[in-house]
Amino acid sequence: MAGMTVSLDGFMDADKVSPDFEELLETPAFKQMIEQTGAVIMGRHTYEMADPFMWINDDYEFQVPLFILTRNPPEKFPKGNDKLSVTFVTDGIESAITQARDAAGDKMVQIIGGADTIQQALNSGLCDEFQIDVMSLILGKGLRLLENIDTEKIKLERISSQAITPMRTSIVYKVTRL
């Protein structure tokens, strides 16, 4: 499953689209997602949005193997713990998904960003579900999550939608390749 939070007008800005993050962490939907996730894929930019030596620890919500999609792995990176490990994947989204599926076992692989990583996952045909959380705010500019999608090859079928917090509506789609 790939997922991301956007503004009502479709823009991403991590500092602005998650004012409810602390509230989100306490919701049953988020707790269920954490429980069902066996591995996480993210892009290098998402990995570096905050100092990884500060957030990759026992307090990070995803205590699972992390697979970071990048062209150039850093020389130094946090080692994680007995549940959370960090692997840099330099040979593409297909390899990242394969490695994450192997690590996740019978649990879900969660692709949490950024935009380029999610676009690659959707375009590769290896993403079976897409979750978009829409925040009730308008940014007017920024990075669009759903640019560069091959719309001729992808069909979305809504599985569910629900208000998660007063500001956040979550919509989950089944992704079908045409």
Side-chain angles (χ1 to χ4, degrees):
M1 171 184 282
M4 201 72 188
T5 303
V6 298
S7 63
L8 190 58
D9 53 347
F11 293 107
M12 299 172 39
D13 183 327
D15 294 331
K16 295 179 182 174
V17 296
S18 294
D20 66 341
F21 188 70
E22 293 301 319
E23 183 179 6
L24 175 66
L25 292 174
E26 299 304 318
T27 64
F30 192 82
K31 289 179 180 183
Q32 180 181 20
M33 180 182 64
I34 296 297
E35 183 69 29
Q36 294 174 348
T37 298
V40 169
I41 297 172
M42 68 179 72
R44 176 83 179 259
H45 179 73
T46 301
Y47 165 78
E48 291 180 340
M49 282 177 50
D51 180 353
F53 288 93
M54 297 296 293
W55 65 266
I56 295 181
N57 58 41
D58 294 336
D59 295 329
Y60 182 53
E61 51 272 6
F62 290 103
Q63 291 292 306
V64 297
L66 305 178
F67 295 87
I68 315 302
L69 194 60
T70 185
R71 288 183 185 89
N72 302 303
E75 289 184 27
K76 293 173 59 177
F77 57 91
K79 299 298 180 202
N81 58 39
D82 62 333
K83 296 180 204 168
L84 187 157
S85 60
V86 180
T87 302
F88 291 91
V89 180
T90 60
D91 53 346
I93 189 69
E94 292 86 359
S95 177
I97 290 172
T98 298
Q99 291 179 58
R101 282 182 178 159
D102 289 346
D106 62 350
K107 291 191 170 191
M108 175 175 55
V109 172
Q110 188 72 241
I111 304 169
I112 63 173
D116 184 58
T117 301
I118 289 176
Q119 291 164 9
Q120 288 180 56
L122 288 170
N123 287 329
S124 74
L126 297 173
C127 180
D128 56 355
E129 289 186 356
F130 173 60
Q131 177 178 337
I132 188 163
D133 284 7
V134 180
M135 296 298 289
S136 58
L137 53 91
I138 298 172
L139 296 179
K141 62 181 178 178
L143 181 63
R144 288 197 182 274
L145 174 59
L146 296 176
E147 284 187 333
N148 306 312
I149 298 296
D150 189 348
T151 58
E152 300 295 319
K153 294 183 179 176
I154 294 174
K155 176 184 172 194
L156 300 176
E157 177 185 330
R158 189 183 65 208
I159 296 172
S160 66
S161 62
Q162 65 177 339
I164 303 295
T165 71
M167 290 187 72
R168 179 183 300 262
T169 300
S170 183
I171 310 166
V172 179
Y173 296 93
K174 177 182 176 185
V175 179
T176 305
R177 296 285 292 173
L178 300 176

